[in-house]
Amino acid sequence: MEVLQLLVSGLANGCVYGLIALGFVLIYKATEAVNFAQGDFMMIGAFVSLGLTNAEYMHLPFWIAAPLTISIMAVFGYLLDLFVLRHLFGQNQTAVVILTIAMGFVLRFVAGLIWGHEPQTLESPLALGDLHIGGVVLGMADVAVIVVTFLLTWFLYQFFQRTKLGLAMQAASQNQMAAYFMGIPVKRVQGLIWGLSGATAAVAGILFASKGAIDPNAGLLGIKAFAAAVIGGFGSLPGALAGGLIVGVIEPFAARYFAAGYSQIAPYALLLAVLVFRPHGLFSQVRVKKV
Amino acid sequence: MSLLEIKNATLKFGGVVAVNDLSFSVEEGEVYAIVGPNGAGKSTAFNLISRFYEPYAGTFTFDGNNLLERDADQVADLGIARTFQNIELFDHATVLQNLLVGRHRHRKTTLLEEMFFTPRVRREEERHREAVEEVIDFLDLQPYRNKMIAGLPYGVRKVVELGRALASKPRLLLLDEPASGLSVEETQDMRWWIDDIRKQMGITVLMVEHDMGLVSGVSDRVLALADGAKLAEGTPAEVQANPAVIEAYLGAGAV
C-alpha cells in the first residue's frame, strides 16, 4: 500500500514536470531552439492565476480566472516572440538559448516585484478535498493534474501529427527557407508556437499552484523538467510526458528507500544513464542510419 | 499577356549592382533559361522573383498579380514553386513527407476537423497522397519513398526537391541549376523530365543553368546575363552565336 501511495503522489508530481517538459519540446519541435525560461513561464502562469483568483488581488471566480490565465499567457508568448525572439530570426540557436536564460532571470525578478518573495497559495477549488481509494489517499488537485496532463498531451500530439499548422511547424523547424517557399508563413508559425507554449505553461502553473505554495523561484524546477524532456527524447511529446512521470516517480521512491539527499540527485543520475545508453532518449524520433 | 513579366528590376548590395535594370518576360508553356558567367546575377534574379530579396526598383507581375505586394510564403499560393542551387530539403523527414509538404498550399481543411480526423480530412489526405504518388511515379522515386533525406545520395536529393516543387502543382516552376552536381546520365534524365513537365503537365519552366547541352536541349528561349544586365535574348542557337555572349564567357579576342 505504501508503494502505491508513493507511486500515485509521484505520478502527480511527474505530471507537472511533464507539462513543463511539453513546453520545452513544443519550442524545440517548431524552432529547434531550447527555451530555458519554460519553468519561469510556468511560474508566471501560476502567479497570474493567483493574482486573478485570490481574495487579496482581483478575486475572480476560479473558472473564469483559469481560462483567462491561459489566454493571457498565450498572448504573452506570442508577443514575446513578436518583439524579442523574432529579432534573432536566422541567428545561431545559441543566441536563443542565452536569451531565454536571461529572460528567466528577468521573469523571476519581475514576479518578485509584483507578487513578493513569500510563498503563496492559490485559492483553487481543485485544492479542496481528498479522494480515498482503498487506503490510498489522493488529493483532488493531484487527480486534476493527472487528468489534465494526459488530455493536454493527447491534444498536442494530435495537433502535431494531424493538423496542417502542426506539420507546418515541424517543417519550419527543419528548414526555414524551404518551408517559406513551400507557402508556410514561418515567422507567424513561430509566433503561434510560442503562444501555444505559453498556454501550456499556464496550465502547468495553475495546476502546480493548486498543489502547493508558489514563490518566484518555483520556475527553477524547470531544470528537472528539462532532464525529463531529455530522458523522454527531446522532440517527442509523449516522451516528454513519460520522462516527467519517470522523474516524478523516482523522487519519492529514492527519498523513501535511500539515504537523505539521494532523491535530489536521482533524476540526474537517471539522465546520465539515459544519455550513456540511449543518447537520443527513450522515445527518440531520430533514427540513426545503419551502414 | 506574359505569365511572368519583369520590368526594370534593379538590386544593389551596398555598392555592388547585382541586377541592373533587367527586363524580361516568360510566356505560358515555354521553357525559359537564364545563362551567364558566375556572379552575373542569375540566382539573384530568381531570389527576387520568389521574394527572398526586396528589389531596389522594378515591377514583378505574375499572371496579373503584383508579386511585390506578397511575402515569400504567399508567392507559393499563386502557383510558383522553386528548387535551390544547394538543395533545401527537410533532412530529418522521409522522401514521402517532403513531397507531402509540397501539398501545403492545397490543404483547405480546418484545425478542428484535422484534430478529429473527420471523413472530409481523410478524403483530402488520400487526395494529397495520390497527387504525391503521381509525382513519385513520374520521377521514379519508388525505391526511396520511406527513406530519410539525410542518408540519400546527392543526385536523388536533387530529384526529390524537384518532386516537392511538382507536388505543389505549380503554374511556374523555377529551377536553380537543376543539373549542377549531377552525373551525365542523371543530367540526361533531368532533360527528359523538364521536357515532360512542360509537355505533359503544362507547367511553365524558368531555369538557371550552366550546362549548355541541357539548356539548348530543352529551352525555347535563352537569356544571357553579364554583370546583372541583359546581354542577349533569343533561341539557344542565336544566343550561343552572339558575339557579346562569346566575349563575356571567353574574354575579348577569342572571336
Side-chain angles (χ1 to χ4, degrees):
Chain A
M1 202 48 73
E2 190 195 357
V3 172
L4 211 59
Q5 183 70 55
L6 287 174
L7 187 70
V8 168
S9 59
L11 282 180
N13 272 333
C15 281
V16 173
Y17 300 146
L19 280 174
I20 304 172
L22 285 182
F24 277 117
V25 171
L26 278 179
I27 299 282
Y28 181 76
K29 265 179 111 75
T31 66
E32 299 236 309
V34 178
N35 172 22
F36 279 101
Q38 192 65 36
D40 302 290
F41 272 32
M42 179 222 61
M43 178 272 296
I44 292 286
F47 270 113
V48 169
S49 71
L50 187 143
L52 291 171
T53 314
N54 278 16
E56 70 260 42
Y57 299 106
M58 294 185 68
H59 203 51
L60 291 174
F62 176 79
W63 297 112
I64 294 175
L68 203 59
T69 304
I70 296 170
S71 323
I72 289 172
M73 288 304 289
V75 172
F76 172 72
Y78 186 82
L79 292 180
L80 199 69
D81 176 68
L82 190 65
F83 290 114
V84 182
L85 288 143
R86 201 162 291 182
H87 296 285
L88 297 182
F89 192 75
Q91 296 274 346
N92 197 307
Q93 307 291 15
T94 332
V96 181
V97 169
I98 292 171
L99 181 78
T100 56
I101 291 175
M103 221 152 61
F105 280 102
V106 173
L107 291 177
R108 286 197 284 282
F109 176 77
V110 169
L113 211 63
I114 300 176
W115 292 287
H117 292 275
E118 293 304 312
Q120 300 184 54
T121 26
L122 173 65
E123 290 154 13
S124 159
L126 299 176
L128 304 173
D130 294 324
L131 209 63
H132 296 261
I133 310 167
V136 175
V137 186
L138 204 56
M140 283 307 288
D142 293 339
V143 178
V145 170
I146 293 171
V147 171
V148 171
T149 305
F150 275 87
L151 283 178
L152 193 63
T153 310
W154 176 85
F155 174 86
L156 292 173
Y157 183 74
Q158 294 293 324
F159 174 77
F160 268 101
Q161 292 300 312
R162 295 241 164 111
T163 71
K164 177 182 176 180
L165 186 59
L167 293 169
M169 284 171 174
Q170 295 193 54
S173 82
Q174 285 195 24
N175 190 329
Q176 289 184 349
M177 185 149 65
Y180 231 132
F181 293 121
M182 295 321 297
I184 296 168
V186 176
K187 290 182 183 173
R188 184 148 49 90
V189 161
Q190 296 206 343
L192 290 174
I193 199 82
W194 277 90
L196 191 60
S197 104
T200 309
V203 173
I206 295 168
L207 294 171
F208 183 70
S210 299
K211 275 168 57 66
I214 51 162
D215 65 77
N217 284 325
L220 292 177
L221 73 87
I223 299 169
K224 264 184 227 165
F226 180 74
V230 176
I231 289 170
F234 234 96
S236 156
L237 291 163
L241 175 59
L245 293 178
I246 292 169
V247 170
V249 168
I250 228 172
E251 274 185 321
F253 277 93
R256 174 69 187 80
Y257 296 108
F258 294 99
Y262 278 98
S263 76
Q264 295 294 316
I265 61 159
Y268 306 107
L270 178 69
L271 171 64
L272 211 60
V274 167
L275 286 178
V276 170
F277 296 109
R278 278 198 63 111
H280 294 296
L282 298 177
F283 294 79
S284 87
Q285 294 184 323
V286 182
R287 268 157 285 170
V288 180
K289 185 184 159 203
K290 294 194 175 63
V291 184
Chain B
M1 194 183 61
S2 310
L3 185 64
L4 178 72
E5 204 162 355
I6 291 161
K7 277 192 187 144
N8 312 104
T10 300
L11 179 72
K12 296 175 183 176
F13 294 116
V16 181
V17 184
V19 174
N20 190 5
D21 199 27
L22 178 66
S23 302
F24 67 93
S25 56
V26 180
E27 305 301 324
E28 180 121 44
E30 75 174 335
V31 175
Y32 190 98
I34 304 177
V35 300
N38 287 326
K42 307 181 299 292
S43 286
T44 311
F46 253 47
N47 287 333
L48 280 169
I49 296 167
S50 51
R51 300 289 292 124
F52 192 61
Y53 294 140
E54 198 61 39
Y56 180 82
T59 60
F60 295 74
T61 318
F62 176 75
D63 192 28
N65 297 287
N66 180 3
L67 287 179
L68 297 184
E69 284 171 359
R70 290 166 182 264
D71 285 332
D73 56 285
Q74 294 164 332
V75 168
D77 283 335
L78 286 178
I80 299 180
R82 70 168 291 178
T83 65
F84 297 85
Q85 196 175 338
N86 297 316
I87 307 188
E88 300 287 348
L89 285 168
F90 305 109
D91 287 343
H92 297 290
T94 64
V95 169
L96 183 64
Q97 287 167 336
N98 267 276
L99 297 183
L100 281 167
V101 176
R103 301 294 303 166
H104 183 85
R105 78 181 187 99
H106 295 289
R107 292 185 69 151
K108 296 284 180 269
T109 44
T110 65
L111 196 70
L112 265 184
E113 284 179 297
E114 288 160 8
M115 295 280 294
F116 289 101
F117 208 61
T118 59
R120 193 167 95 93
V121 176
R122 172 178 281 277
R123 281 196 304 276
E124 280 266 297
E125 216 44 62
E126 281 166 358
R127 211 165 52 80
H128 295 314
R129 183 61 197 266
E130 274 166 24
V132 164
E133 286 300 326
E134 278 174 29
V135 173
I136 289 177
D137 284 343
F138 177 69
L139 297 174
D140 294 326
L141 284 170
Q142 297 91 341
Y144 307 105
R145 191 184 280 115
N146 291 312
K147 294 253 167 58
M148 291 280 241
I149 299 297
L152 291 178
Y154 187 87
V156 178
R157 290 193 215 187
K158 201 103 193 167
V159 178
V160 174
E161 209 192 18
L162 174 64
R164 187 181 59 187
L166 286 178
S168 77
K169 286 239 153 45
R171 290 185 60 198
L172 175 66
L173 181 61
L174 308 178
L175 301 175
D176 198 350
E177 303 202 10
S180 75
L182 296 189
S183 69
V184 177
E185 296 94 82
E186 286 168 336
T187 307
Q188 194 57 252
D189 283 340
M190 190 58 80
R191 177 180 169 168
W192 286 321
W193 281 325
I194 294 174
D195 252 341
D196 285 348
I197 286 167
R198 183 248 306 264
K199 284 182 191 134
Q200 288 179 17
M201 302 185 172
I203 297 171
T204 310
V205 178
L206 171 61
M207 69 174 184
V208 163
E209 183 52 59
H210 279 295
D211 187 323
M212 282 312 287
L214 179 65
V215 168
S216 31
V218 296
S219 327
D220 299 298
R221 286 192 302 151
V222 178
L223 167 71
L225 288 183
D227 300 323
K230 185 191 281 189
L231 206 58
E233 191 183 18
T235 65
E238 282 167 14
V239 169
Q240 271 177 298
N242 188 305
V245 173
I246 295 169
E247 191 185 318
Y249 267 95
L250 303 174
V255 190

